[in-house]
Each structure stands twice: as C-alpha cells, then as structure tokens.
Amino acid sequence: MNLKELSGHRRPASALTSHRHKRQCRLPNKVSILGVSIDNLSAHELLQQLDRGVVFTPNVDHVMKLRKDPSFAAAYKKADFRVCDSQILMYAAKFLKTPLKEKISGSDFFPIFCDYHKSNEAIKIFILGGAHGVPQKAQENINDRIGREIVVGAHSPSFEFEQDPTENERLLNLIRQSGANVVVVCLGTPKQEKWIARHCDHLPGVDIFMGVGATVDFEAGSKRRAPQWLSELGLEWLWRLMIEPRRLWKRYILDDLPFIWLLLRQRLTQ
C-alpha cells in the first residue's frame, strides 16, 4: 500500500498481488546512499510500526550536509526511522541496484499520519515551527479536516530560539502542558534534527518526534507545493528553487551538485 492508496485511493491488503509481495520481500531492509542508511519501508509499514521513535526524512540535501556537519551527523544517530524524502534518492537507490519501496516525504506522510489516527484519541500533536501565526493556522486546518482536536498545541519560535536556554525551557514546558505525545518539528534542516536530538530526552511524555520541514506551511496554506507530476519526476527541487531562488540557489546549484559524482563513485566501487 503506497502513499496514493493511503491518502484516498485505498484498496485492501488482500488486493495486493502475491507477485508484488514476493518482490518486496527480496528488497533490502536498509539502503545505504553515500554512507546514509535509509529504512526501506512503505508508508503503510511505517504507519504500522510508528508507535514510538524519532522520524527523519533524508533527501539529497541531508545526504550532502551529513558529509560536512559533524553535529548534524551526531543528531542523525538519534533517528529510529529514516525514510526517503526524495525522488532523486529513489533514482539513486535504483542506480545502486538496491531499490527503495517508496518515497515518503514528510509533507505527504504527516497528513496521512493524522488521517490514520483520526479516531485514536490517544494521539495528540504539537506543531513547532513556521512564521508567526502559521502553525496556529495549520492547527486549525488539520483539526477541521480530522474532525477532532488532534493538534493540541502550536508554536512559532523566535529565529534563533535554539540558542536561548530560557526560551527553550519555556517551549519544553509549553509542550509538556499541552499533553501532546507527538511533536512535529518544522524548522528546516539541520536545525529541526539538531533540536530534536538535543531535547527529545527532556520530553519523556512524547512518544514520537518528526522532522518534516515545510509541512507546516503546506498545512497552513501559506505556501504551495509543487504539482504532483513534477514531484514524481524528481523535479520538486526545481519548483522550490523558482519559488525561493534567493534562499535556495546555493543549496541546489552549489552544495548538492557533487551528489551526482559521489553517487557514480559509489556505484563503481561497490
């Protein structure tokens, strides 16, 4: 069962062909791309397994940053689930002859997670991140769509809040007081992963942490996602570059371009 089926085009598990089941069983449990280990899960499998843990969603930018930023690499070790958030990584895994089952972007997975737990009153979510008013609008939209108060708290922190111990402690208390057991962090990479790694042990009442980037903006309706056909071609990065060229040109054109040559080297030496 893939993301399309989970998000509305559903079919029962019995409808899956035995051929497809056998093919998936032969796939590796983890796929390594430039030293980054990615869990080879479908969205349905992740939903079934995710009752506790930290979820990160590696893409090409993550893979390249992990090679240069030791503190980011240390934070990544906190992840219990690393699922592919990039069609480019899907192509890369296939090129390496270790295909991944499915692209599970945070922006696709989070709304499906909410739908999956629609009637599960035990799931209570706190959204951290986004500009002033954005997480609150996302909270409103999600709760309206789900039909209950599944999002119990939302907060837009100051720009460099993670460097202020006092503001961090206020935020941790806010999460504790909300009663949330799922914290969705939308601060951008690598800030969100580093914040989760640094503070997840200070929130024992929280079972699940997700680092899901711009998801809060999409849920609030403050930013538009790329058309699905562009995403399926692996060109969502181009859409984002056209929308925010000044912020993203260096990431996509300079920082991430060496990925191609490094991938080729991995293929030739494996």
Side-chain angles (χ1 to χ4, degrees), residues 13-26:
S14 59
L16 297 175
T17 66
S18 60
H19 172 74
R20 180 182 175 193
H21 177 70
K22 290 178 182 176
R23 178 179 64 81
Q24 287 192 346
C25 285
R26 291 198 299 268

PDB file of all heavy atoms in Angstrom, residues 13-26:
ATOM      1  N   ALA A  13      -5.595  -4.895   1.836  1.00  0.00           N
ATOM      2  CA  ALA A  13      -4.327  -5.618   1.707  1.00  0.00           C
ATOM      3  C   ALA A  13      -4.490  -6.872   0.873  1.00  0.00           C
ATOM      4  O   ALA A  13      -3.572  -7.300   0.175  1.00  0.00           O
ATOM      5  CB  ALA A  13      -3.792  -5.972   3.093  1.00  0.00           C
ATOM      6  N   SER A  14      -5.685  -7.487   0.909  1.00  0.00           N
ATOM      7  CA  SER A  14      -5.916  -8.706   0.146  1.00  0.00           C
ATOM      8  C   SER A  14      -5.835  -8.479  -1.349  1.00  0.00           C
ATOM      9  O   SER A  14      -5.674  -9.409  -2.131  1.00  0.00           O
ATOM     10  CB  SER A  14      -7.285  -9.289   0.495  1.00  0.00           C
ATOM     11  OG  SER A  14      -8.309  -8.351   0.206  1.00  0.00           O
ATOM     12  N   ALA A  15      -5.944  -7.219  -1.775  1.00  0.00           N
ATOM     13  CA  ALA A  15      -5.887  -6.910  -3.202  1.00  0.00           C
ATOM     14  C   ALA A  15      -4.461  -6.872  -3.730  1.00  0.00           C
ATOM     15  O   ALA A  15      -4.236  -6.828  -4.925  1.00  0.00           O
ATOM     16  CB  ALA A  15      -6.571  -5.574  -3.482  1.00  0.00           C
ATOM     17  N   LEU A  16      -3.488  -6.860  -2.827  1.00  0.00           N
ATOM     18  CA  LEU A  16      -2.104  -6.843  -3.268  1.00  0.00           C
ATOM     19  C   LEU A  16      -1.749  -8.208  -3.862  1.00  0.00           C
ATOM     20  O   LEU A  16      -2.048  -9.247  -3.298  1.00  0.00           O
ATOM     21  CB  LEU A  16      -1.172  -6.553  -2.081  1.00  0.00           C
ATOM     22  CG  LEU A  16      -1.356  -5.192  -1.416  1.00  0.00           C
ATOM     23  CD1 LEU A  16      -0.461  -5.105  -0.205  1.00  0.00           C
ATOM     24  CD2 LEU A  16      -1.037  -4.071  -2.389  1.00  0.00           C
ATOM     25  N   THR A  17      -1.103  -8.195  -4.977  1.00  0.00           N
ATOM     26  CA  THR A  17      -0.789  -9.455  -5.644  1.00  0.00           C
ATOM     27  C   THR A  17       0.349 -10.159  -4.938  1.00  0.00           C
ATOM     28  O   THR A  17       1.220  -9.523  -4.329  1.00  0.00           O
ATOM     29  CB  THR A  17      -0.370  -9.197  -7.100  1.00  0.00           C
ATOM     30  OG1 THR A  17       0.856  -8.489  -7.091  1.00  0.00           O
ATOM     31  CG2 THR A  17      -1.427  -8.423  -7.848  1.00  0.00           C
ATOM     32  N   SER A  18       0.357 -11.489  -5.020  1.00  0.00           N
ATOM     33  CA  SER A  18       1.431 -12.253  -4.403  1.00  0.00           C
ATOM     34  C   SER A  18       2.757 -11.937  -5.077  1.00  0.00           C
ATOM     35  O   SER A  18       3.804 -11.958  -4.447  1.00  0.00           O
ATOM     36  CB  SER A  18       1.129 -13.742  -4.493  1.00  0.00           C
ATOM     37  OG  SER A  18       1.000 -14.143  -5.845  1.00  0.00           O
ATOM     38  N   HIS A  19       2.706 -11.597  -6.370  1.00  0.00           N
ATOM     39  CA  HIS A  19       3.946 -11.259  -7.086  1.00  0.00           C
ATOM     40  C   HIS A  19       4.587 -10.027  -6.462  1.00  0.00           C
ATOM     41  O   HIS A  19       5.783  -9.988  -6.213  1.00  0.00           O
ATOM     42  CB  HIS A  19       3.639 -10.998  -8.559  1.00  0.00           C
ATOM     43  CG  HIS A  19       4.817 -10.451  -9.319  1.00  0.00           C
ATOM     44  ND1 HIS A  19       5.899 -11.225  -9.676  1.00  0.00           N
ATOM     45  CD2 HIS A  19       5.086  -9.189  -9.755  1.00  0.00           C
ATOM     46  CE1 HIS A  19       6.781 -10.471 -10.313  1.00  0.00           C
ATOM     47  NE2 HIS A  19       6.305  -9.234 -10.364  1.00  0.00           N
ATOM     48  N   ARG A  20       3.755  -9.004  -6.183  1.00  0.00           N
ATOM     49  CA  ARG A  20       4.304  -7.792  -5.606  1.00  0.00           C
ATOM     50  C   ARG A  20       4.846  -8.072  -4.201  1.00  0.00           C
ATOM     51  O   ARG A  20       5.898  -7.585  -3.818  1.00  0.00           O
ATOM     52  CB  ARG A  20       3.216  -6.717  -5.539  1.00  0.00           C
ATOM     53  CG  ARG A  20       3.730  -5.409  -4.948  1.00  0.00           C
ATOM     54  CD  ARG A  20       2.628  -4.387  -4.848  1.00  0.00           C
ATOM     55  NE  ARG A  20       3.138  -3.201  -4.179  1.00  0.00           N
ATOM     56  CZ  ARG A  20       2.364  -2.238  -3.726  1.00  0.00           C
ATOM     57  NH1 ARG A  20       1.071  -2.298  -3.875  1.00  0.00           N
ATOM     58  NH2 ARG A  20       2.884  -1.195  -3.128  1.00  0.00           N
ATOM     59  N   HIS A  21       4.122  -8.888  -3.439  1.00  0.00           N
ATOM     60  CA  HIS A  21       4.569  -9.202  -2.092  1.00  0.00           C
ATOM     61  C   HIS A  21       5.936  -9.892  -2.122  1.00  0.00           C
ATOM     62  O   HIS A  21       6.847  -9.537  -1.382  1.00  0.00           O
ATOM     63  CB  HIS A  21       3.544 -10.107  -1.408  1.00  0.00           C
ATOM     64  CG  HIS A  21       3.964 -10.543  -0.037  1.00  0.00           C
ATOM     65  ND1 HIS A  21       4.012  -9.680   1.030  1.00  0.00           N
ATOM     66  CD2 HIS A  21       4.378 -11.751   0.428  1.00  0.00           C
ATOM     67  CE1 HIS A  21       4.419 -10.322   2.103  1.00  0.00           C
ATOM     68  NE2 HIS A  21       4.651 -11.591   1.768  1.00  0.00           N
ATOM     69  N   LYS A  22       6.102 -10.860  -3.029  1.00  0.00           N
ATOM     70  CA  LYS A  22       7.367 -11.560  -3.121  1.00  0.00           C
ATOM     71  C   LYS A  22       8.486 -10.619  -3.556  1.00  0.00           C
ATOM     72  O   LYS A  22       9.610 -10.698  -3.077  1.00  0.00           O
ATOM     73  CB  LYS A  22       7.239 -12.721  -4.108  1.00  0.00           C
ATOM     74  CG  LYS A  22       6.371 -13.859  -3.584  1.00  0.00           C
ATOM     75  CD  LYS A  22       6.235 -14.952  -4.628  1.00  0.00           C
ATOM     76  CE  LYS A  22       5.328 -16.074  -4.114  1.00  0.00           C
ATOM     77  NZ  LYS A  22       5.117 -17.105  -5.148  1.00  0.00           N
ATOM     78  N   ARG A  23       8.166  -9.699  -4.469  1.00  0.00           N
ATOM     79  CA  ARG A  23       9.198  -8.764  -4.932  1.00  0.00           C
ATOM     80  C   ARG A  23       9.668  -7.888  -3.779  1.00  0.00           C
ATOM     81  O   ARG A  23      10.851  -7.666  -3.591  1.00  0.00           O
ATOM     82  CB  ARG A  23       8.636  -7.892  -6.053  1.00  0.00           C
ATOM     83  CG  ARG A  23       9.631  -6.850  -6.569  1.00  0.00           C
ATOM     84  CD  ARG A  23       9.034  -6.021  -7.690  1.00  0.00           C
ATOM     85  NE  ARG A  23       7.903  -5.245  -7.238  1.00  0.00           N
ATOM     86  CZ  ARG A  23       8.021  -4.095  -6.594  1.00  0.00           C
ATOM     87  NH1 ARG A  23       9.210  -3.598  -6.293  1.00  0.00           N
ATOM     88  NH2 ARG A  23       6.950  -3.423  -6.231  1.00  0.00           N
ATOM     89  N   GLN A  24       8.718  -7.386  -2.956  1.00  0.00           N
ATOM     90  CA  GLN A  24       9.097  -6.515  -1.862  1.00  0.00           C
ATOM     91  C   GLN A  24       9.911  -7.263  -0.805  1.00  0.00           C
ATOM     92  O   GLN A  24      10.814  -6.712  -0.205  1.00  0.00           O
ATOM     93  CB  GLN A  24       7.848  -5.896  -1.223  1.00  0.00           C
ATOM     94  CG  GLN A  24       7.210  -4.821  -2.100  1.00  0.00           C
ATOM     95  CD  GLN A  24       6.174  -4.024  -1.349  1.00  0.00           C
ATOM     96  OE1 GLN A  24       5.735  -4.411  -0.277  1.00  0.00           O
ATOM     97  NE2 GLN A  24       5.764  -2.908  -1.916  1.00  0.00           N
ATOM     98  N   CYS A  25       9.595  -8.531  -0.585  1.00  0.00           N
ATOM     99  CA  CYS A  25      10.299  -9.302   0.428  1.00  0.00           C
ATOM    100  C   CYS A  25      11.782  -9.461   0.087  1.00  0.00           C
ATOM    101  O   CYS A  25      12.591  -9.688   0.970  1.00  0.00           O
ATOM    102  CB  CYS A  25       9.642 -10.671   0.602  1.00  0.00           C
ATOM    103  SG  CYS A  25       8.080 -10.597   1.502  1.00  0.00           S
ATOM    104  N   ARG A  26      12.118  -9.386  -1.190  1.00  0.00           N
ATOM    105  CA  ARG A  26      13.509  -9.553  -1.592  1.00  0.00           C
ATOM    106  C   ARG A  26      14.310  -8.256  -1.454  1.00  0.00           C
ATOM    107  O   ARG A  26      15.530  -8.277  -1.590  1.00  0.00           O
ATOM    108  CB  ARG A  26      13.576 -10.052  -3.039  1.00  0.00           C
ATOM    109  CG  ARG A  26      13.086 -11.481  -3.215  1.00  0.00           C
ATOM    110  CD  ARG A  26      13.573 -12.049  -4.542  1.00  0.00           C
ATOM    111  NE  ARG A  26      13.075 -11.285  -5.671  1.00  0.00           N
ATOM    112  CZ  ARG A  26      11.948 -11.564  -6.320  1.00  0.00           C
ATOM    113  NH1 ARG A  26      11.178 -12.571  -5.934  1.00  0.00           N
ATOM    114  NH2 ARG A  26      11.570 -10.839  -7.348  1.00  0.00           N
TER     115      ARG A  26
END
